[in-house]
């Protein structure tokens, strides 16, 4: 049975109710009355009035502070109004760990000193923001837990229940200094209403600074590298920057998955047990902590469960919970949601032919511990639902979150959850789902949803509608402050998407000059603006000028970002594109062939950038005389783009247009006509009436008659 949220074995802390607020209010009012009665006998009326005002103000602040502290039990683990537990009182590991699966392993296995322990203890004693980084089940949370308990037992312990509780937690950590703000799985506390740089400064700048201790999986940490940031635009990129700025304030310590020889020697010095023996025998392939947590074993258990007559419904349940998390849902998934979501996974594998067990049996199997330590899923009482063992989220070969999961999940979320899921869907280029989620977030007045929604509308084939929305936001913002660069960048971008190439190029050149002056010529955003300025210069008909600008930008991006950075590769692709457009077909084909080899190795065969390289290469191979080969390649690219981006994405529709033109030039005019007729119908349904793709398709269709 799960213990009530906030109840500790060492005391069963209970909320005493609202009497404390009434007491302090009455006491304060009485004190003010006594003070005024005394001073009235020996001072002037003006002074009495002044003292009364000051006393009333102080009383107001006291009341507000008490009110704030009354919220602690609803937001902080183990808290009572006006009091949070000390580190030494929070003696149940279950209250420290964000991922319930595997936490019982701590009581089963003695702690082995890790190589980072000395550095970690020193950082904790000095205070500040410490972030433990490592792969799932590397031992990050256990290492941090043991270090905090060892070095800071008398500190107040503040752990928010959720992202919406962060502001309350920051204030509690400040009031209860010296304190530890504990944020296991830091990514769950970042984003809208989450931890900000201002919060960090607030806590670390006080006379008795709080100690911020957080953990993060390597997979999540990589999202804040420049490679990942280069994929984002608009609201996604702004949110990414604010989250990255928080992480940049931390001192990062890496906890390695594979243990060092010294750590293994210390492990062998423990009292012998079968589980430790198994872990030591597998230490060349797996980390000790992940083996003790049964990570690899659980992955195999999940994959093997799909077999007919095994636990196929259990495997579907696990997959549904995993994909809810991957789609952006941070809290445990309610069981009723899982009941709905898992059926499509089961059906896709064979449904009743697999002889699936009942749902209750499937849930029990997925929550059953392996070797008394870990489980695929774990039940949460508050909030009620199912969470997956996060080791599963880093498994090899995971397929993209399928459409049916988005379609099941989106009607069930609202507010900030819809906003989070919308940003994930946009980042994954699942624009149809992003539109649904962000429309709901905008309806619920989530900050930032207006801007994010405008970008998704523009990316979905309605750039002029996005421009109108962004201009309205710019007018509203200009009344109180300067229009943010992010809004101006997106306005310039969608001008280009809408076909206003000269206006877009000019707008980006203005931004480049301003950014060079304010944030520097080598800043990643300045380089990005240079790319768009050059690209739309080429689209306006000045291909040779674009080649010259992009050639210079390739050198700068290689110097600043590296040769294998996504943005460097994108600039090389644009440079080759305009080389071909300026008549240098052989040079363009050679560059694109080389770039394709690198892109496949670095990004993968179905990455949007790789698909764009393949598309450009096919186009120029056709223009060089081999239209039949170009048509075959473009047919494959169209299938891949539909699989990764969806059938209505503008890039998918544009590739189908390329394919139709290639068929016509290869001699199959009838096939091209049929394809263009179907394409015009789809474009009319999904794109704005004046979208350049639709205009071009109409011209091509008319030319075939």
């Amino acid at each position: 049975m799960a213990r009530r949220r906030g109840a500790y074995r060492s005391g069963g802390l209970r909320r005493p109710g609202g009497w404390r607020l009434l007491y302090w209010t009455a006491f304060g009012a009485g004190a003010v009355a006594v003070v005024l009665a005394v001073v009235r006998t020996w001072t002037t009326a003006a002074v009495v009035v002044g003292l009364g005002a000051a006393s009333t103000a102080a009383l107001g602040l006291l009341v507000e502070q008490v009110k704030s502290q009354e919220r602690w039990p609803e937001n902080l683990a183990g808290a009572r109004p006006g009091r949070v537990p000390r580190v030494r009182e929070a003696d149940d590991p279950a209250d420290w760990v964000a991922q319930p699966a595997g936490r019982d392993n701590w009581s089963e296995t003695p702690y082995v000193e890790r190589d980072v322990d000395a550095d970690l203890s020193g950082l904790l004693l000095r205070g500040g923001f410490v972030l433990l980084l490592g792969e799932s089940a590397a031992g990050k949370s256990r290492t941090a837990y043991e270090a905090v308990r060892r070095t800071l037992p008398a500190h107040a312990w503040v752990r928010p229940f959720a992202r919406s509780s962060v502001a309350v937690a920051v204030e509690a950590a400040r009031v209860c200094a010296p304190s530890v703000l504990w944020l296991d799985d830091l990514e769950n506390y970042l984003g809208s209403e989450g931890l900000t740089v201002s919060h960090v400064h607030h806590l670390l700048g006080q006379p008795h600074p709080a100690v911020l201790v957080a953990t993060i999986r390597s997979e999540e940490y990589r999202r804040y590298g420049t490679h990942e940031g280069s994929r984002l635009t608009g609201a996604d990129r702004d949110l990414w920057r604010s989250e990255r700025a928080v992480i940049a304030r931390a001192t990062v310590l890496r906890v390695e998955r594979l243990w060092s020889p010294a750590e293994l020697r210390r492990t062998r010095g423990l009292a012998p047990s079968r589980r430790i023996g198994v872990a030591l025998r597998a230490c060349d392939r797996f980390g000790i902590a992940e083996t003790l947590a049964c990570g690899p074993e659980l992955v195999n258990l999940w994959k093997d469960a799909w077999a007919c007559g095994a636990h196929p419904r259990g495997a579907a349940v696990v997959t549904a919970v995993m994909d809810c998390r991957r789609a952006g849902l941070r809290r445990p998934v309610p069981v009723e949601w899982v009941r709905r979501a898992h059926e499509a996974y089961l059906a896709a594998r064979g449904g009743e032919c697999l002889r699936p067990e009942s749902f209750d049996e499937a849930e029990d199997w997925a929550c059953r511990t392996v070797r008394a330590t870990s489980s695929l899923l774990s039940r949460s009482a508050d909030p009620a639902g199912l969470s997956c063992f996060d080791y599963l989220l880093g498994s090899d070969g995971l397929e993209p979150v399928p459409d049916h999961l988005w379609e099941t999940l989106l009607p069930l979320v609202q507010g900030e959850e819809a906003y989070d899921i919308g940003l994930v869907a946009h980042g994954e280029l699942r624009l149809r789902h992003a539109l649904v989620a962000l429309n709901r977030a905008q309806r619920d007045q989530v900050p930032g949803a207006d801007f994010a929604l405008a970008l998704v509308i523009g990316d979905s084939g309605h750039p002029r509608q996005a421009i109108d929305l962004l201009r309205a936001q710019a007018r509203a913002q200009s009344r109180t402050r300067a229009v943010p660069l992010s809004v101006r960048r997106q306005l310039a971008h969608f001008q280009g998407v809408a076909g206003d190439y000269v206006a877009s190029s000019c707008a980006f050149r203005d931004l480049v000059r301003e950014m060079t002056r304010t944030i520097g010529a080598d800043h990643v955003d300045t380089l990005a603006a240079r790319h768009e300025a050059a690209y739309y210069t080429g689209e306006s008909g000045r291909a040779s000028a674009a080649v010259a600008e992009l050639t210079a930008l390739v050198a700068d991006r290689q110097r600043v970002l590296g040769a294998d950075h996504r943005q460097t590769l994108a600039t090389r692709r644009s440079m080759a594109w305009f080389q071909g457009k300026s008549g240098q077909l052989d040079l363009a084909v050679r560059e694109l062939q080389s770039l394709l080899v690198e892109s496949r190795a670095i990004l993968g065969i179905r990455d949007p950038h790789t698909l764009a390289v393949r598309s450009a290469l096919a186009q120029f191979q056709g223009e060089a005389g081999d239209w039949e080969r170009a048509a075959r390649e473009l047919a494959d690219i169209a299938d891949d783009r539909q699989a990764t981006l969806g059938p209505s994405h503008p890039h998918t529709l544009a590739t189908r247009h390329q394919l139709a033109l290639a068929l016509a030039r290869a001699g199959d005019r009838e096939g091209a006509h049929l394809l263009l007729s179907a394409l015009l119908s789809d474009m009319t349904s999904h794109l704005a009436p004046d979208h350049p793709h639709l205009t071009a398709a109409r011209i091509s269709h008319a030319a075939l008659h």
Side-chain angles (χ1 to χ4, degrees), residues 314-375:
V317 165
V318 171
T319 309
V321 174
M322 288 171 57
D323 282 354
C324 284
R325 172 69 184 271
R326 294 169 65 210
L329 186 70
R330 297 296 188 184
R331 65 184 171 101
V333 187
V335 174
E336 287 307 311
W337 295 16
V338 180
R339 283 183 183 273
R340 298 188 205 181
H342 87 282
E343 290 287 359
Y345 291 96
L346 185 62
R349 291 291 192 115
E352 292 302 318
C353 294
L354 297 176
R355 294 185 293 161
E357 70 275 38
S358 71
F359 182 85
D360 289 343
E361 290 172 327
E363 183 185 349
D364 288 342
W365 170 81
C367 294
R368 189 178 304 150
T369 56
V370 174
R371 299 184 185 175
T373 58
S374 306
S375 57

Side-chain angles (χ1 to χ4, degrees), residues 407-622:
E407 290 161 0
T408 301
L409 183 61
L410 285 172
L412 303 172
V413 297
Q414 57 189 350
E416 291 177 8
E417 286 185 345
Y419 178 71
D420 289 345
I421 291 172
L423 291 185
V424 171
H426 190 200
E428 296 295 323
L429 303 178
R430 313 302 284 273
L431 301 182
R432 177 166 61 93
H433 305 308
L435 277 172
V436 174
L438 292 171
N439 265 303
R440 184 163 294 122
Q442 184 200 43
R443 179 201 66 191
D444 296 338
Q445 300 181 333
V446 177
D450 287 347
F451 183 53
L453 180 59
L455 305 193
V456 177
I457 288 171
D459 289 344
S460 300
H462 298 267
R464 295 201 185 279
Q465 184 182 351
I467 289 171
D468 291 341
L469 293 171
L470 290 168
R471 282 176 175 164
Q473 294 173 28
R475 285 194 297 272
Q477 292 171 333
S478 65
R479 298 190 189 106
T480 56
R481 57 191 176 94
V483 178
L485 286 174
S486 57
V487 175
R488 293 169 57 193
R489 282 198 307 269
Q490 294 306 316
L491 277 168
H493 170 72
F494 286 122
Q495 283 180 304
V497 174
D500 299 336
Y501 303 132
V502 174
S504 175
S505 178
C506 290
F508 273 114
R509 291 187 193 286
D510 289 342
L511 283 167
V512 169
R513 285 191 288 271
E514 182 173 342
M515 290 173 163
T516 300
R517 185 179 68 254
T518 57
I519 60 178
D522 286 343
H523 193 281
V524 63
D525 290 343
T526 308
L527 298 175
R530 283 177 59 191
H531 182 122
E532 297 227 47
Y535 180 83
Y536 287 116
T537 294
E539 289 293 285
S540 68
R542 300 172 57 207
S544 296
V547 170
E549 293 180 29
L550 290 165
T551 301
L553 181 58
V554 166
D556 288 340
R557 277 188 154 168
Q558 286 177 335
R559 173 177 55 82
V560 175
L561 303 175
D564 62 347
H565 192 281
R566 178 184 292 272
Q567 290 186 353
T568 305
L569 299 176
T571 303
R572 287 176 57 192
R573 183 186 77 231
S574 294
M575 180 187 70
W577 174 253
F578 289 115
Q579 284 172 337
K581 288 297 182 182
S582 65
Q584 305 175 72
L585 280 181
D586 290 344
L587 180 61
V589 168
R590 287 197 301 273
E591 173 64 17
L592 288 168
Q593 287 173 333
S594 173
L595 184 58
L596 180 57
V597 172
E598 295 177 53
S599 300
R600 280 175 165 165
I602 297 169
L603 304 175
I605 188 63
R606 282 192 171 186
D607 184 86
H609 165 79
T610 307
L611 292 174
V613 174
R614 291 170 61 194
S615 175
L617 180 57
Q619 179 70 28
F620 292 142
Q621 286 172 333

Side-chain angles (χ1 to χ4, degrees), residues 19 25 61 93 99 134 137 158 177 183 199 222 228 236 267 282 287 313 327 379 381 449 465 470 520 539 567 626 672:
W19 63 266
T25 303
L61 291 174
Q99 293 293 325
V158 182
L183 302 173
H199 286 147
R222 281 194 294 271
E228 290 299 312
D236 298 1
T267 305
R313 191 180 300 277
R379 296 182 176 96
Q465 184 182 351
L470 290 168
E539 289 293 285
Q567 290 186 353
D626 195 350

